[in-house]
Amino acid sequence: MKVLVTGTAGFIGFHTALKLLRRGDEVVGLDNINDYYDPRVKFGRLELSGIDASAIEYGKLTRSKTYENYRFIKLDLSDKEGIDRLFAAEKFDRVCNLAAQAGVRYSLTNPQAYIDANITGFLNILEACRANPVEHLAYASSSSVYGLNTDMPFSVHRPVDHPISLYAASKKSNELMAHTYSHLFGIPTTGLRFFTVYGEWGRPDMALFIFTKAILEGRAIEVFNGGKMRRDFTYIADIVEGVVRVIDRPAKPAADFDSSKPDCATSSAPYRVYNIGNSAPVELMSFIEALEESLGKKAVKNLLPMQPGDVPATFADTSDLERDLGYKPATPIKTGIANFVKWYREFYRV
Ligand SMILES: NC(=O)c1ccc[n+]([C@@H]2O[C@H](COP(=O)([O-])OP(=O)(O)OC[C@H]3O[C@@H](n4cnc5c(N)ncnc54)[C@H](O)[C@@H]3O)[C@@H](O)[C@H]2O)c1
């Protein structure tokens, strides 16, 4: 298969591209390599994929030195002409859109970045798929779409109309936009609601990374909501396994879809939404304890109130994923955290 994976200088996109490459798919990776967080981590991921930083030129494909089936292009999703040109030239079989402006807190201060990358950018992907038909478009949504919902575990079959950050609203918008294109133009689309992903080559703006850095440097860590937050932390290898299985299985119209009682996760159009989460929420304090154990060092904790935009708990109902893809994330946090710490120490030589 010839697959476009966007966001391949990013955490999930990098791991997804590697998995597809290792099984022999032809992959084009795309990223604008922005500086939302330390670009050295992004260039490190690209380097490991065989993409030489000095060979990268905006709008031009670079071939990997490690994987002959991998090419990378530095391109912005909001660059409509560039996206159109790429799709017309490459004629992808499948597309996996993981590039986005991520992060809940940043969306409170930088709302425009979310409109540019997640709304305009996603529209450009949809339009390009319309002009150059693909067998399947899989794209990242987020557990943050559950917003004010406290009906646990979170089910894809219940409405999500109460986002509490513009980030969440942009992800919910992606699901609505995808449905429209699935209905109007028959593009098979699957949205993936990821639940707090962690692991090696993880994101420097996320708790595990920030905590690890602070603990190793002997600084206090900021623990929001007094550590009483519960998160369905999901290990990167589990996420990527799910993403690849989803790419392989184009969405189909649901034969039993009843428009008088419309199910939120399916449609008469080739449209689906899945949760991908560990389905075993862990209290933030326990997560910190597992990290302390892995690092062999105690954290100094600065307990703080809840942050605006944050939700107190997440918990994925993954029964659809299990039924349709025969799969369920299962890596325990101790294993995942130990793998992260090993990577962190090697990358930063600490
Ligand atoms: N990591 C998580 O816990 C998590 C949870 C829920 C959803 N998600 C979603 O999963 C996807 C991947 O997340 P991630 O953790 O790998 O984030 P990431 O920030 O590491 O990766 C996203 C990549 O997209 C690139 N990008 C941003 N805007 C772009 C644009 N306009 N054009 C081209 N590239 C652009 C960035 O440079 C970055 O490398 C995102 O859509 C994110 O919202 C992640």
Side-chain angles (χ1 to χ4, degrees), residues 145-348:
V145 298
Y146 289 101
L148 285 183
N149 187 344
T150 53
D151 187 7
M152 309 260 172
F154 292 148
S155 166
V156 287
H157 300 287
R158 286 200 286 278
V160 281
D161 293 320
H162 300 89
I164 57 170
S165 66
L166 192 69
Y167 169 65
S170 75
K171 291 294 174 178
K172 167 69 178 164
S173 306
N174 286 171
E175 295 177 2
L176 297 171
M177 292 161 80
H179 184 267
T180 309
Y181 275 65
S182 295
H183 171 77
L184 289 175
F185 311 114
I187 303 170
T189 66
T190 302
L192 295 163
R193 293 179 183 168
F194 298 136
F195 283 67
T196 319
V197 189
Y198 74 99
E200 47 276 35
W201 290 100
R203 262 171 44 202
D205 63 322
M206 290 183 71
L208 180 59
F209 201 111
I210 294 170
F211 289 170
T212 302
K213 188 169 192 297
I215 295 171
L216 287 174
E217 289 172 1
R219 287 183 292 107
I221 60 171
E222 296 188 329
V223 183
F224 296 111
N225 202 26
K228 298 237 173 303
M229 230 117 72
R230 287 171 77 78
R231 285 286 177 276
D232 214 346
F233 294 102
T234 312
Y235 185 54
I236 183 66
D238 291 339
I239 287 286
V240 168
E241 178 67 34
V243 171
V244 171
R245 284 181 188 233
V246 162
I247 293 172
D248 285 348
R249 194 173 182 280
K252 291 198 180 86
D256 58 356
F257 183 74
D258 179 352
S259 60
S260 68
K261 289 190 235 66
D263 170 38
C264 300
T266 65
S267 174
S268 51
Y271 166 91
R272 288 209 78 104
V273 175
Y274 290 111
N275 283 335
I276 301 197
N278 217 37
S279 206
V282 171
E283 205 160 88
L284 188 55
M285 273 311 178
S286 313
F287 193 74
I288 294 169
E289 276 164 26
L291 177 59
E292 289 173 330
E293 203 177 296
S294 251
L295 289 170
K297 197 171 171 193
K298 285 274 173 209
V300 181
K301 300 174 198 93
N302 182 11
L303 302 185
L304 294 169
M306 187 82 167
Q307 289 277 288
D310 267 358
V311 297
T314 64
F315 180 3
D317 175 343
T318 53
S319 44
D320 284 20
L321 194 73
E322 288 168 54
R323 185 198 59 217
D324 295 350
L325 305 173
Y327 160 77
K328 182 184 174 338
T331 304
I333 55 160
K334 280 196 176 178
T335 313
I337 288 178
N339 291 347
F340 170 79
V341 166
K342 184 168 177 291
W343 166 77
Y344 186 96
R345 284 189 179 279
E346 276 167 21
F347 187 71
Y348 289 102

Side-chain angles (χ1 to χ4, degrees), residues 7-13 30-34 36-37 42 45 75-78 97-103 116-117 140-143 167 171 194-198 203 206:
T8 50
F11 176 34
I12 304 175
L30 177 155
D31 205 294
N32 68 356
I33 326 178
N34 66 34
Y36 164 62
Y37 60 72
K42 297 188 180 182
R45 297 178 185 127
L75 198 60
D76 199 298
L77 286 186
S78 62
N97 187 54
L98 300 171
Q101 179 56 56
D116 295 344
S141 181
S142 165
S143 60
Y167 169 65
K171 291 294 174 178
F194 298 136
F195 283 67
T196 319
V197 189
Y198 74 99
R203 262 171 44 202
M206 290 183 71

